[in-house]
Amino acid sequence: MATYCLTVARLQLALGQGARRLHVSAAYRAKAKVAMSRFEPTSFVNYENLQSNVDIVRKRLNRPLTLSEKIVYGHLDDPHNQEIDRGRTYLRLRPDRVAMQDATAQMAMLQFISSGLPKVAVPSTIHCDHLIEAQIGGAQDLARAKDVNQEVYNFLSSAGAKYGVGFWKPGSGIIHQIILENYAYPGVMLIGTDSHTPNGGGLGAICIGVGGADAVDVMAGIPWELKCPKVIGVKLTGSLSGWTSPKDVILKVAGILTVKGGTGAIVEYHGPGVDSISCTGMATICNMGAEIGATTSVFPYNHRMRTYLEKTGRGQIAALADEYSDLLVPDEGCEYDQIIELNLDELKPHINGPFTPDLAHPVSKVGAVAEKNGWPLDVKVGLIGSCTNSSYEDMGRAASLAKQALDKGLKCKAQFTVTPGSEQIRATIERDGYAKTFRDVGGVVLANACGPCIGQWDRRDVKKGEKNTIVTSFNRNFTARNDANPATHAFVTSPEIVTALAIAGTLNFNPETDYLTAPNGEKFKLEPPTGDELPSKDFDPGQDTYQHPPADGTSLKVDVNPQSNRLQLLEPFDKWSGNDLEDMQVLIKVKGKCTTDHISAAGPWLKFRGHLDNISNNMLIGAVNSENDAINKIKNHLNGEYGGVPDVARHYKANGVSWVVVGDDNYGEGSSREHAALEPRHLGGRAIIVKSFARIHETNLKKQGLLPLTFSNSSDYDKIRPDDKISIRGLKTFTPGKCKHSFHSDGTEETLELNHSFNETQIEWFRAGSALNRMKSLQH
């Protein structure tokens, strides 16, 4: 057993002043009020302030700005003095609003309650979409979810009422569709506690996924920190037509950039091809930008966005955006850090997978690739919907294919499920006959919720471990994500291709060239899908599922039962001792891909998202142990026995042994769930040392007082053995330094250098034990 002493290299970062201010600056207060939606008529659209900040920054930088720079820099807390250097400096920003889905809102609101603040400082909403399990059908599944999750829904509803947060009840729809329909608009900056928050970029907004602690900062009126993003430009030429859909744009880009190619960057689409894509199609592209690690994605304001705003009751915003249209597009001559060009005339339908969203195949070739690799050709289930592809246009185009099959007497060979994105979408597709078409072709219309996309699927047609193929219009297809079966080969594609493959029942089907056989023996080809971008009769809003907070909620109470196994009030994490971290045990050396699904699984574990101790029982149970290639089987070096990762971690903590995790590339990719950071901290972890991090997870670890560190030399990963002990020194100064030698059983020691990306504010989080601890200390 070797003992490693690791020195921490310091990144010198300019910070600017005013780091400790807790109030919303006067410059941030809005001047122009327009109707945002039928639910929140007094929200602010402040293009005047945005324009002023952009003018200040453009003059300082003396160069044209990209669209994403305009919106991001337009929300600077101090545009006069903020140091701006793409990819290096940290920006202090003032987002316009916060949105939280129910699985992450529990911990976010528990943290906000711990802050002691009386009310949120910016407009904020909670959306109940993650806790509804797909089992039978929409109405039955929703009723069951309301019963099973009553305690959690009551907590979120009462906490929202007390602290001034709007509450979208279960059944209202998926957070990102609700944001697009009500809260996103060109030029707004919104943060959301879900990694697919960038969906709002389809409406010209900068919408960024964050952890709950970041949301608490913004709700508390504290400037929010973001490393100044690089900007990747994607120039679109030509136009979409035929079987090619907006989903194919991001499937192709994912194949080019891979799951980490967008890390630290905003992807900005531009060029003449943009106008051939609907507003909701642009949202699809931005949504799945999370799968390439991008900070967010955005499209320039155009007539497709104006029409969508008008159709969703926000014509006043559209008129105002027209006035400021130059502000909502990139400057002529602006420069990107990287350029990708896509000719939409030449783009073909794509399907990505299995097991990773960046393994891209043209639909015309995936059958042959599947045969070569031994992937199951039979499609067991086709699933359309999710936050990525559940718009009216998506539903209409898929229904046009289903109707063609029905007209020839065919139904789906595979099982087929449909997830509407919102109550508005559900009510409208019911009115316009799409839902009936889906049912007639053999489909089941599920609740307006995330459902199978996040593992909320009570799947019973295959046994766990049985090799099978599913095709979805979702965004993410990591191992076991949808159905908890590691043998399920999940492919992501457009709703149109999902529908065609569900009808054909096989991956080895190219709808552009291949024929189907009707019951009477007639051979026929599916015509390319068609569908209206927006309903000609306007949207049917369906049931009113929104609860607006009262003007004054101070007298209201939020009860958390101490005996609850679903909710648990938070205790502050311990402060840094002031000493170096010595002789920490390697808990697990993780091999290969380790997403937040591997670190903190969803599915059945979602019910514990408000109870830190209970949810911690899933910590790293999906990660592969490099020592034995096993999952959830590591050696306890105190007693020599093998056990589950959470069990060993708890044993170490009970015996006063601090521990570290060692990981591979792009550690923590995927969801924004901060539980993947809270759990290691809760169970005694002190540092996560990897080759590289995904952006949101790295920030989440910092927020909870952990040390996210990366190898200066990635090959040093290979030097660390699962039984090693690690010391991290130089913490008093956070500067590179010499290591004090200490010898263990075999008398060997090696010094490795690590990098970090902490700035001074973040170092204070570490010293205080967490960002929340630091915030509370500044209130006194």
Side-chain angles (χ1 to χ4, degrees):
M1 179 182 70
T3 297
Y4 288 97
C5 174
L6 307 176
T7 57
V8 183
R10 184 181 190 184
L11 285 177
Q12 298 288 349
L13 296 167
L15 295 172
Q17 300 300 310
R20 294 176 174 82
R21 275 185 293 168
L22 290 174
H23 63 277
V24 178
S25 65
Y28 182 67
R29 296 184 190 126
K31 296 175 183 176
K33 295 184 181 181
V34 299
M36 276 289 285
S37 74
R38 62 194 174 103
F39 300 109
E40 199 162 304
T42 59
S43 292
F44 297 104
V45 180
N46 190 357
Y47 288 135
E48 184 180 332
N49 194 57
L50 188 68
Q51 183 72 69
S52 174
N53 286 355
V54 168
D55 290 343
I56 292 166
V57 172
R58 189 191 285 113
K59 185 176 181 181
R60 283 182 55 205
L61 298 181
N62 194 30
R63 62 171 173 81
L65 300 178
T66 68
L67 170 61
S68 50
E69 286 183 306
K70 288 181 178 182
I71 302 175
V72 172
Y73 303 162
H75 285 83
L76 286 170
D77 182 54
D78 184 3
H80 290 281
N81 299 302
Q82 170 73 61
E83 185 181 5
I84 299 169
D85 185 3
R86 295 200 310 217
R88 186 181 72 85
T89 58
Y90 278 85
L91 306 179
R92 293 162 54 74
L93 300 164
R94 293 286 188 176
D96 297 301
R97 67 180 305 126
V98 173
M100 300 167 279
Q101 42 94 337
D102 50 356
T104 51
Q106 295 171 62
M107 199 58 68
M109 291 309 296
L110 286 166
Q111 290 178 86
F112 188 82
I113 291 169
S114 297
S115 75
L117 295 171
K119 190 174 182 178
V120 296
V122 301
S124 303
T125 48
I126 293 168
H127 304 258
C128 294
D129 61 0
H130 270 58
L131 302 181
I132 302 168
E133 184 183 52
Q135 189 178 82
I136 302 168
Q140 302 98 313
D141 294 346
L142 177 59
R144 188 177 67 256
K146 288 179 178 179
D147 180 52
V148 171
N149 302 307
Q150 182 180 10
E151 179 186 13
V152 171
Y153 292 148
N154 286 345
F155 166 72
L156 293 174
S157 172
S158 60
K162 182 172 181 63
Y163 296 104
V165 179
F167 180 70
W168 288 83
K169 301 171 188 176
S172 58
I174 306 172
I175 177 173
H176 311 303
Q177 184 68 26
I178 297 294
I179 289 171
L180 199 71
E181 291 174 356
N182 296 277
Y183 302 125
Y185 63 85
V188 74
M189 173 175 274
L190 178 150
I191 65 164
T193 60
D194 190 280
S195 58
H196 294 108
T197 301
N199 189 80
L203 204 40
I206 290 292
C207 299
I208 301 176
V210 299
D214 275 342
V216 172
D217 279 357
V218 177
M219 290 191 295
I222 299 173
W224 173 60
E225 287 196 337
L226 176 72
K227 182 175 275 191
C228 189
K230 293 185 177 181
V231 188
I232 297 173
V234 179
K235 184 178 180 180
L236 302 178
T237 57
S239 61
L240 292 177
S241 62
W243 283 90
T244 307
S245 75
K247 187 68 163 283
D248 296 307
V249 174
I250 186 58
L251 293 172
K252 179 69 173 179
V253 170
I256 295 169
L257 287 175
T258 77
V259 290
K260 63 177 185 176
T263 303
I266 293 177
V267 179
E268 185 172 311
Y269 295 85
H270 62 283
V274 167
D275 285 343
S276 74
I277 306 173
S278 67
C279 176
T280 53
M282 290 186 257
T284 291
I285 294 167
C286 292
N287 177 295
M288 198 175 159
E291 270 43 80
I292 57 174
T295 300
T296 192
S297 303
V298 69
F299 277 82
Y301 179 63
N302 66 1
H303 70 281
R304 310 297 282 262
M305 296 182 191
R306 182 196 311 120
T307 302
Y308 184 80
L309 286 168
E310 290 169 347
K311 276 283 189 179
T312 51
R314 293 172 289 171
Q316 289 174 287
I317 294 178
L320 200 56
D322 284 344
E323 287 182 38
Y324 285 87
S325 58
D326 288 346
L327 178 64
L328 304 173
V329 297
D331 287 342
E332 185 98 25
C334 67
E335 293 187 0
Y336 298 98
D337 295 285
Q338 180 181 349
I339 286 276
I340 296 170
E341 295 195 23
L342 280 185
N343 185 339
L344 302 181
D345 290 334
E346 300 172 357
L347 185 63
K348 288 293 186 180
H350 272 64
I351 183 168
N352 290 19
F355 306 122
T356 185
D358 58 351
L359 185 57
H361 321 275
V363 170
S364 60
K365 297 180 179 178
V366 71
V369 174
E371 284 188 292
K372 179 181 177 182
N373 287 286
W375 301 335
L377 283 174
D378 286 348
V379 174
K380 291 288 188 183
V381 191
L383 305 98
I384 67 169
S386 89
C387 65
T388 320
N389 276 115
S390 57
S391 68
Y392 185 81
E393 180 182 40
D394 289 329
M395 295 294 158
R397 285 169 64 87
S400 75
L401 299 173
K403 188 173 187 309
Q404 290 181 54
L406 287 169
D407 288 346
K408 296 292 186 179
L410 275 184
K411 290 192 174 185
C412 290
K413 287 186 179 179
Q415 292 183 41
F416 186 52
T417 71
V418 180
T419 305
S422 67
E423 170 61 8
Q424 181 165 272
I425 294 294
R426 183 209 62 79
T428 307
I429 66 170
E430 286 285 0
R431 181 197 68 193
D432 293 352
Y434 295 166
K436 183 179 186 303
T437 299
F438 291 138
R439 293 188 186 100
D440 289 347
V441 84
V444 176
V445 179
L446 299 173
N448 315 322
C450 302
C453 183
I454 59 159
Q456 284 284 44
W457 184 16
D458 183 20
R459 188 180 182 193
R460 299 184 179 183
D461 63 299
V462 297
K463 295 178 181 178
K464 190 168 182 177
E466 182 181 339
K467 203 172 174 181
N468 73 100
T469 286
I470 64 174
V471 291
T472 82
S473 70
F474 305 162
N475 41 42
R476 202 166 275 165
N477 59 345
F478 300 139
T479 302
R481 175 176 172 86
N482 301 125
D483 61 359
N485 181 4
T488 292
H489 293 55
F491 295 82
V492 292
T493 184
S494 68
E496 299 93 317
I497 296 298
V498 171
T499 305
L501 296 182
I503 293 167
T506 177
L507 275 182
N508 198 16
F509 177 74
N510 177 10
E512 290 189 294
T513 58
D514 295 346
Y515 287 80
L516 294 167
T517 304
N520 64 4
E522 178 191 352
K523 302 278 187 182
F524 72 98
K525 272 174 61 178
L526 292 169
E527 294 296 322
T530 58
D532 291 337
E533 178 180 346
L534 295 163
S536 58
K537 301 178 186 176
D538 291 335
F539 283 107
D540 181 340
Q543 299 177 40
D544 185 353
T545 54
Y546 178 72
Q547 172 186 295
H548 196 73
D552 183 1
T554 52
S555 63
L556 301 177
K557 290 187 177 182
V558 180
D559 292 324
V560 177
N561 185 342
Q563 261 59 77
S564 172
N565 70 351
R566 299 286 303 267
L567 297 166
Q568 180 187 48
L569 292 173
L570 296 175
E571 294 292 330
F573 289 132
D574 59 307
K575 295 180 180 179
W576 174 53
S577 66
N579 300 316
D580 290 333
L581 301 175
E582 301 281 354
D583 291 336
M584 295 182 294
Q585 182 66 54
V586 172
L587 176 70
I588 180 173
K589 181 181 178 184
V590 178
K591 177 181 177 181
K593 185 186 282 282
C594 190
T595 71
T596 49
D597 283 84
H598 294 85
I599 304 167
S600 177
W605 291 95
L606 284 167
K607 61 178 171 284
F608 298 124
R609 285 281 182 87
H611 196 295
L612 180 54
D613 194 56
N614 284 345
I615 191 72
S616 294
N617 289 323
N618 77 356
M619 185 190 74
L620 286 160
I621 62 174
V624 177
N625 181 6
S626 67
E627 179 187 13
N628 53 16
D629 285 340
I631 293 172
N632 201 29
K633 185 180 179 182
I634 62 172
K635 187 173 184 178
N636 184 326
H637 293 282
L638 293 182
N639 60 24
E641 299 175 359
Y642 280 83
V645 181
D647 299 324
V648 175
R650 286 185 186 277
H651 190 249
Y652 287 165
K653 181 180 179 182
N655 286 275
V657 175
S658 296
W659 50 263
V660 303
V661 170
V662 177
D664 215 315
D665 259 323
N666 207 30
Y667 185 89
E669 70 172 280
S671 164
S672 69
R673 66 192 69 155
E674 65 180 338
H675 299 78
L678 283 159
E679 293 172 31
R681 184 73 164 95
H682 176 64
L683 295 185
R686 292 294 175 181
I688 312 293
I689 305 168
V690 301
K691 293 180 183 179
S692 65
F693 282 104
R695 174 190 65 86
I696 300 175
H697 186 59
E698 182 180 23
T699 301
N700 286 345
L701 291 168
K702 292 177 183 178
K703 287 277 186 178
Q704 303 307 335
L706 283 151
L707 288 171
L709 307 170
T710 56
F711 295 105
S712 291
N713 185 343
S714 62
S715 64
D716 286 346
Y717 166 89
D718 300 316
K719 295 180 179 179
I720 295 181
R721 298 197 299 261
D723 63 347
D724 283 334
K725 288 189 176 180
I726 289 177
S727 297
I728 298 176
R729 298 176 183 151
L731 290 176
K732 293 180 182 179
T733 58
F734 257 73
T735 54
K738 289 187 177 180
C739 171
K740 296 177 183 176
H741 294 283
S742 58
F743 296 88
H744 285 255
S745 57
D746 62 359
T748 63
E749 181 172 300
E750 187 168 352
T751 299
L752 305 178
E753 187 172 278
L754 301 176
N755 296 327
H756 73 85
S757 61
F758 281 80
N759 61 29
E760 286 292 347
T761 300
Q762 295 166 346
I763 290 170
E764 290 301 323
W765 300 344
F766 169 72
R767 290 171 177 158
S770 71
L772 184 59
N773 288 357
R774 178 61 178 161
M775 183 174 74
K776 291 176 73 173
S777 72
L778 294 176
Q779 294 176 32
H780 302 302

